[in-house]
């Protein structure tokens, strides 16, 4: 080995292409395209832990002052929603709960069950987070969250409002990052 070879710095680990910050910078249309190309795990036990979460974009409010304010609030460390905790039970069904930090106290709120089923956005498989669980208020039971993996340990999904006559309205985009576990 020559002195020149020894003096060269060691190559750094490759940077993740996607992160919560990079997802938050994308438009709703770009997030939809990324979600469409995402995948579901072969086994729901892959969703295990307390990934950091981030609200990314609210449909219809992504531009202008309101959109900038919402993105800044979601990025702030004191934003109340910290993410979701996942507890794997089986390969095809599992459970979880949302983590909310209200400065003076942290809460685990709004449990959900998970399973693989077709997305209401495009009919392709997704991880469905089912809030129709005992103890959840009616308005939480009307939420439909979906997830797909869009990068290593990085899951993107729409939050939707289930309509009374079927179907759902898309409200916002969110993501959870298993590579960045929550400290909360």
């Amino acid at each position: 080995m020559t002195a020149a070879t020894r003096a060269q710095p060691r190559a750094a680990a490759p940077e993740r292409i996607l992160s919560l910050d990079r997802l938050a910078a994308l438009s709703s249309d770009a997030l939809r395209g990324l979600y469409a190309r995402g995948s579901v795990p072969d086994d729901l036990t892959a969703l295990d832990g307390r990934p950091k979460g981030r609200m990314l974009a609210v449909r219809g409010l992504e531009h202008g002052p309101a959109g900038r304010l919402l993105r800044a609030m979601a990025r702030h460390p004191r934003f109340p929603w910290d993410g979701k905790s996942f507890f794997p039970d089986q390969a095809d069904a599992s459970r979880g709960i949302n983590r909310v930090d209200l400065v003076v106290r942290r809460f685990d709120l709004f449990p959900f069950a998970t399973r693989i089923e077709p997305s209401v956005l495009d009919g392709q498989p997704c991880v469905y987070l089912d809030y129709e669980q005992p103890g959840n208020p009616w308005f939480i039971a009307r939420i439909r969250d979906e997830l797909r993996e869009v990068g290593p340990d990085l899951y993107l999904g729409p939050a939707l409002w289930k309509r009374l006559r079927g179907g759902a309205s898309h409200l916002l985009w969110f993501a959870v990052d298993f590579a960045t576990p929550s400290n909360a």
Side-chain angles (χ1 to χ4, degrees):
M1 188 180 270
T2 67
T5 306
R6 279 184 297 219
Q8 290 182 0
R10 213 167 113 189
E15 181 183 354
R16 278 176 82 192
I17 294 170
L18 289 175
S19 65
L20 293 176
D21 288 338
R22 288 187 175 168
L23 289 176
L26 298 176
S27 70
S28 192
D29 287 341
L31 292 168
R32 185 187 267 288
L34 193 57
Y35 180 73
R37 294 186 302 277
S39 62
V40 297
D42 294 331
D43 181 330
L44 287 178
T45 60
L47 300 178
D48 182 11
R50 299 168 47 84
K52 181 69 179 159
R54 168 92 61 93
M55 181 183 73
L56 303 172
V58 176
R59 274 193 80 223
L61 291 178
E62 56 188 308
H63 304 292
R68 285 191 297 276
L69 177 63
L70 284 170
R71 285 178 192 247
M73 288 171 46
R75 182 177 55 246
H76 195 276
R78 299 297 341 151
F79 189 71
W81 182 66
D82 185 54
K84 298 177 184 295
S85 296
F86 292 84
F87 312 103
D89 291 329
Q90 306 168 28
D92 62 349
S94 198
R95 59 192 172 85
I97 197 159
N98 285 274
R99 295 187 316 276
V100 178
D101 186 348
L102 297 178
V103 182
V104 295
R105 186 164 175 214
R106 292 184 174 119
F107 298 91
D108 289 334
L109 298 172
F110 314 127
F112 54 85
T114 62
R115 62 183 175 270
I116 305 293
E117 71 173 44
S119 167
V120 297
L121 292 185
D122 62 12
Q124 297 304 306
C126 72
V127 178
Y128 169 45
L129 282 60
D130 180 0
Y131 289 98
E132 290 186 40
Q133 304 301 312
N136 279 343
W138 69 269
F139 55 92
I140 296 299
R142 299 280 305 278
I143 294 171
R144 177 189 173 94
D145 284 350
E146 300 180 358
L147 288 172
R148 288 188 184 144
E149 190 173 23
V150 295
D153 296 323
L154 184 63
Y155 288 78
L156 169 66
L160 305 115
W161 181 258
K162 293 185 269 185
R163 291 180 276 205
L164 291 175
R165 298 174 198 241
S169 298
H170 184 187
L171 302 174
L172 60 88
W173 290 101
F174 71 98
V176 292
D177 185 357
F178 284 88
T180 308
S182 172
N183 295 327

